[in-house]
Amino acid sequence: MAYTPPDAATCASMIAQVRFNDDGLIAAIAQQHDTGEVLMLAWMNAAALGETLRTGRVCYFSRSRQALWRKGETSGQVQTLVDARLDCDRDAVLVLVDQKGVACHTGRRSCFFNAMRPEGLVVISQPQISADELYKHG
């Protein structure tokens, strides 16, 4: 099913109902829409959430750069929005996506590759692509 963006008024109304934190951000969990695989956690401000809803291409807010970050703009590993869902408190958003390639900047499919086991942290997946190869587009 292709994503259908809301009209501008509906988009603004939905964003007005989001409970952003004191920094104006909301946690955004990216999940592969068809497999349920949790890919990553990032942050969105109102502008990033609005752009995501309007365009269907997932956009985050980079806290380190203090700027919008369109997933895949330097790596080519784009996330296309399938659906967006707020949690019950409206202070976290789940973005169901179609992930092209890997989601993690380390070259892994998911950012959640450090398993917390009785023996300590265990890396449970290896990079599918090197970081150098991943960001050669930039």
Side-chain angles (χ1 to χ4, degrees):
M1 181 172 86
Y3 174 73
T4 302
D7 62 47
T10 302
C11 187
S13 173
M14 288 189 292
I15 291 171
Q17 296 178 63
V18 172
R19 293 182 58 210
F20 294 98
N21 68 16
D22 291 342
D23 295 322
L25 302 174
I26 186 171
I29 302 160
Q31 182 178 32
Q32 179 63 33
H33 75 99
D34 53 355
T35 66
E37 180 182 22
V38 176
L39 300 170
M40 57 182 281
L41 169 86
W43 297 91
M44 290 181 171
N45 62 8
L49 182 55
E51 182 174 316
T52 297
L53 294 173
R54 283 190 311 277
T55 67
R57 180 168 175 192
V58 181
C59 178
Y60 298 105
F61 180 78
S62 169
R63 294 177 299 167
S64 60
R65 289 179 273 157
Q66 291 291 298
L68 293 182
W69 158 46
R70 289 149 194 95
K71 183 67 177 163
E73 66 189 346
T74 56
S75 68
Q77 311 297 299
V78 175
Q79 288 178 348
T80 303
L81 185 65
V82 174
D83 199 11
R85 301 174 184 175
L86 287 176
D87 75 335
C88 56
D89 295 321
R90 298 182 180 170
D91 63 358
V93 63
L94 174 66
V95 287
L96 299 172
V97 303
D98 187 15
Q99 173 71 51
K100 175 185 174 190
V102 299
C104 186
H105 74 280
T106 66
R108 291 171 174 86
R109 174 77 179 165
S110 171
C111 293
F112 295 93
F113 59 86
N114 290 297
M116 301 172 85
R117 303 282 167 77
E119 64 273 23
L121 288 179
V122 177
V123 175
I124 59 171
S125 71
Q126 297 304 312
Q128 295 176 7
I129 184 172
S130 74
D132 289 342
E133 181 68 18
L134 187 61
Y135 292 103
K136 73 177 183 179
H137 301 96

